[in-house]
Amino acid sequence: MYQEKSLNNKWGYILLFLFFLLFIYGDLFPAELITEVIPSLLDMNTIFLSIVLEAIPFVLLGVFVSALIQSFVKEETLERFIPSNPILALFPAVTIGAIFPVCECAIVPIVRRLIQKGMPLHVGIVILVSAPVLNPIVFLSTFYAFQTDLTIAWARMGLAFIVAIIVGGIIYSRFKNSWQLKEPEGLVRKTHEHEHRNKIAETFYHASDEFFDMGKFLIIGALLASMIQTFMDRELLVGVGSGFFTGPAVMMGLAYFLSLCSEADAFVASSFNGLFSSSSILGFLVYGPMTDLKNTILMAAYFRKRFVISFVAIVTVVTYIITILFDLLY
Amino acid sequence: MSRNTHSFLRSVILLGFGLFIIKLLISGDIQKFIAPRMMPYMYFALAVIAVLGLIQFFKSDSEEGHACECGHNHDYSSSKTRSILVYSLFIVPIITGMLFSDHVLGSSQAANKGFKYELRTASADDDNYSNSEVSEGEEDGTETGSDPVHQSEEQDDPAILSTKDRYPDLYEELSSADRFTMSEDNYIGTISLLEEEVDQYIGKEIKMNGFVFREDGFPDDRLVVGRFGISCCVADGGVYGVLVQGDGQNFDQYKNDTWIEVTGTVKKVEHNDWELPMIEPTEIKTIDAPKEPYVYEEFEFAG
């Protein structure tokens, strides 16, 4: 055992050395070598890194809140705050989502932890879909991005509210309160006492482990999203996107694959204003924060695969129908 | 792999991320990924990564592994191949980041990222759409008189933000001056104002810089000069630019992605049924790409 350990540590030291080397001399590498082979590769690398860099602080934030919940919130406390009627419980969940300005990267570990602590599945999912879109920061950025058409900002919030409630309802009717997290149920529910350790250190250990558990999914998600952003032909999309039924579908597809942060997506959406109908734009704005490629992969880190697929399907269908209805009624 | 090895590798990776961020901060290249308003979050991330890295490091030193039965899978995989794969995921962005952090998006992405003019040409019924929107607006305005959106367009309701209201100082400056130089700080604002009501600014002299790019089928004497505008990170960037139309001059010497400074007169042009601002150049000169090639969306959050 000792031998294997020292061998592996050797690689750690080599890596450490490499990092320091790159830290000092990294800029000297001739980037032209790469651009000549595949011109867009560096574009992709830049977009990929920018998504990772932008998401890291929020993932860390989410991981810390989650670790704090793990260390300090008792299961009984949680139970007291959630109404026992499953339908009534949906509404405080939306309110929680609306109060806390948590973006979609941070919300996944938090919700997973809350479910571990005994929060009903559908209530957790409602928080998961509502927090990244129904919040004051997102409202303001939408407001600024669409100054000429304020209905967009209000409709975004309204539709997101309706979609979140319906998604919660469907999740409840399909999955009731079954266990959909990857780890076995019994293990988690028991509160364990770390008598010999202090809780702060515990929080940091949890946060660090969770950062690595989740970081790999974040990186895969960012990689896929940056590939699609770099190599996708936008004109093709616009060509099929003008129909009444295809418009929202195309915009939702775009929202899914671009995996933008919910704070920034309104500005991207506004560049499509005038090309797509308001309802298509709303489809983009409501759907994107609730689920996207990066988030699906993040969810797959914690939830069972079948559940993640059903979740994405439910959110997709509900958002689509609601946007079409909005277009018909408005 | 043993628990200690995992902890040690993780502390090295966290250190790598820390070094990467510090390198970006020192060289200023961080602005090529993230908008300045996101900077506090980056400092937060750097601090947390440093603390986590230290904790992982000392954990790898401590004798007994951290035995916690809290039910979450810590993913201390014992399979070597799997561990290498997982850790490579973290190591690759650190390496490519340190190697290629000064790369700047250019004209090839400008086409892909949805430059407005290009998008407008691609849609067949954009014209109908904009028309129907206008007539709808007029109806609302005259019949009910309560629709805040259209009141703002006609009466400048101060509660609603039109482009003018968003950039009041800039609007003042731009409409009173005969000559105007665009800078990083007013780039997005100026172009938004120009696009909103180009008639008001016709004949003014404007000086601006940016990189060159073209749509397919542009004649020799036409190009677009623009810069990427970023609101949070480069992934959400879009191009802000103005058409430059010479009178029979040949712009071939200005290749795509060259940075130029254009001085010229504002005019209006019909481009695929859209009225767009355009600059008729009196002087074009090639310049070096600026240290901060992107411009940033400025909007104040109340909180």
Side-chain angles (χ1 to χ4, degrees), chain A residues 141-218:
Chain A
S141 73
T142 317
F143 180 90
Y144 282 121
F146 291 90
Q147 305 123 29
T148 49
D149 190 0
L150 283 187
T151 45
I152 296 275
W154 289 108
R156 181 181 196 185
M157 298 295 132
L159 293 188
F161 181 86
I162 297 168
V163 171
I165 295 287
I166 296 176
V167 166
I170 295 176
I171 293 277
Y172 181 72
S173 70
R174 263 196 66 118
F175 293 96
K176 290 292 184 293
N177 213 350
S178 60
W179 191 253
Q180 295 299 337
L181 293 176
K182 271 181 169 175
E183 60 265 82
E185 183 175 4
L187 247 175
V188 177
R189 279 297 190 53
K190 273 179 243 142
T191 325
H192 52 284
E193 301 293 325
H194 289 288
E195 286 158 36
H196 55 290
R197 286 183 188 277
N198 79 42
K199 285 201 160 185
I200 309 237
E202 206 57 54
T203 307
F204 276 97
Y205 287 143
H206 280 294
S208 172
D209 288 333
E210 200 156 356
F211 176 69
F212 276 91
D213 285 351
M214 197 163 154
K216 57 178 184 276
F217 292 96
L218 168 75

Side-chain angles (χ1 to χ4, degrees), chain A:
Chain A
M1 271 296 102
Y2 178 76
Q3 249 181 339
E4 193 217 15
K5 189 181 137 193
S6 63
L7 185 80
N8 285 324
N9 275 354
K10 188 182 77 187
W11 284 106
Y13 284 115
I14 290 175
L15 198 60
L16 193 64
F17 179 70
L18 180 70
F19 286 159
F20 273 110
L21 205 68
L22 287 173
F23 178 71
I24 301 167
Y25 296 112
D27 293 329
L28 300 179
F29 190 85
E32 295 78 33
L33 287 181
I34 303 274
T35 28
E36 269 166 31
V37 188
I38 312 175
S40 302
L41 201 61
L42 285 186
D43 288 343
M44 190 189 113
N45 182 50
T46 300
I47 295 173
F48 163 63
L49 288 171
S50 86
I51 297 176
V52 172
L53 282 173
E54 189 200 29
I56 279 182
F58 297 101
V59 168
L60 284 171
L61 210 62
V63 155
F64 259 96
V65 173
S66 149
L68 284 172
I69 294 173
Q70 168 68 21
S71 299
F72 292 101
V73 175
K74 291 218 174 65
E75 282 81 348
E76 303 83 67
T77 329
L78 211 59
E79 267 159 36
R80 242 187 304 143
F81 281 104
I82 298 169
S84 49
N85 181 320
I87 299 302
L88 275 181
L90 293 174
F91 292 90
V94 175
T95 325
I96 292 176
I99 293 170
F100 292 107
V102 186
C103 70
E104 78 254 43
C105 304
I107 196 72
V108 179
I110 297 177
V111 163
R112 175 266 201 150
R113 185 70 71 196
L114 288 171
I115 292 175
Q116 267 191 355
K117 288 273 173 184
M119 176 178 274
L121 178 70
H122 66 289
V123 178
I125 292 299
V126 169
I127 295 181
L128 182 84
V129 294
S130 61
V133 48
L134 278 173
N135 76 50
I137 295 175
V138 171
F139 176 78
L140 275 175
S141 73
T142 317
F143 180 90
Y144 282 121
F146 291 90
Q147 305 123 29
T148 49
D149 190 0
L150 283 187
T151 45
I152 296 275
W154 289 108
R156 181 181 196 185
M157 298 295 132
L159 293 188
F161 181 86
I162 297 168
V163 171
I165 295 287
I166 296 176
V167 166
I170 295 176
I171 293 277
Y172 181 72
S173 70
R174 263 196 66 118
F175 293 96
K176 290 292 184 293
N177 213 350
S178 60
W179 191 253
Q180 295 299 337
L181 293 176
K182 271 181 169 175
E183 60 265 82
E185 183 175 4
L187 247 175
V188 177
R189 279 297 190 53
K190 273 179 243 142
T191 325
H192 52 284
E193 301 293 325
H194 289 288
E195 286 158 36
H196 55 290
R197 286 183 188 277
N198 79 42
K199 285 201 160 185
I200 309 237
E202 206 57 54
T203 307
F204 276 97
Y205 287 143
H206 280 294
S208 172
D209 288 333
E210 200 156 356
F211 176 69
F212 276 91
D213 285 351
M214 197 163 154
K216 57 178 184 276
F217 292 96
L218 168 75
I219 289 170
I220 295 173
L223 192 65
L224 288 176
S226 65
M227 265 184 215
I228 288 163
Q229 274 214 18
T230 317
F231 299 108
M232 180 191 65
D233 189 351
R234 227 178 236 240
E235 272 182 56
L236 202 75
L237 275 180
V238 176
V240 284
S242 44
F244 178 78
F245 288 106
T246 49
V250 167
M251 282 306 272
M252 281 166 61
L254 199 64
Y256 186 83
F257 288 110
L258 290 184
S259 301
L260 298 169
C261 177
S262 58
E263 236 182 81
D265 60 357
F267 291 94
V268 177
S270 71
S271 75
F272 289 99
N273 207 7
L275 281 178
F276 288 91
S277 63
S278 304
S279 66
S280 307
I281 302 264
L282 280 167
F284 180 91
L285 290 172
V286 172
Y287 185 66
M290 292 191 174
T291 184
D292 58 36
L293 183 62
K294 181 182 67 186
N295 245 36
T296 307
I297 294 173
L298 282 181
M299 276 185 78
Y302 298 132
F303 292 90
R304 290 186 181 152
K305 211 181 290 164
R306 261 202 54 217
F307 176 75
V308 176
I309 294 170
S310 329
F311 167 78
V312 173
I314 292 168
V315 173
T316 309
V317 172
V318 172
T319 314
Y320 185 72
I321 292 173
I322 293 290
T323 20
I324 294 286
L325 281 179
F326 176 80
D327 205 15
L328 289 173
L329 296 176
Y330 182 70

Side-chain angles (χ1 to χ4, degrees), chain B residues 117 194-195 198 242-243 266-269 275-279:
Chain B
Y117 306 155
L194 284 177
E195 281 180 355
V198 60
V242 179
L243 273 175
V266 178
K267 298 224 159 142
K268 185 167 77 175
V269 67
E275 285 185 355
L276 295 175
M278 168 206 115
I279 296 183

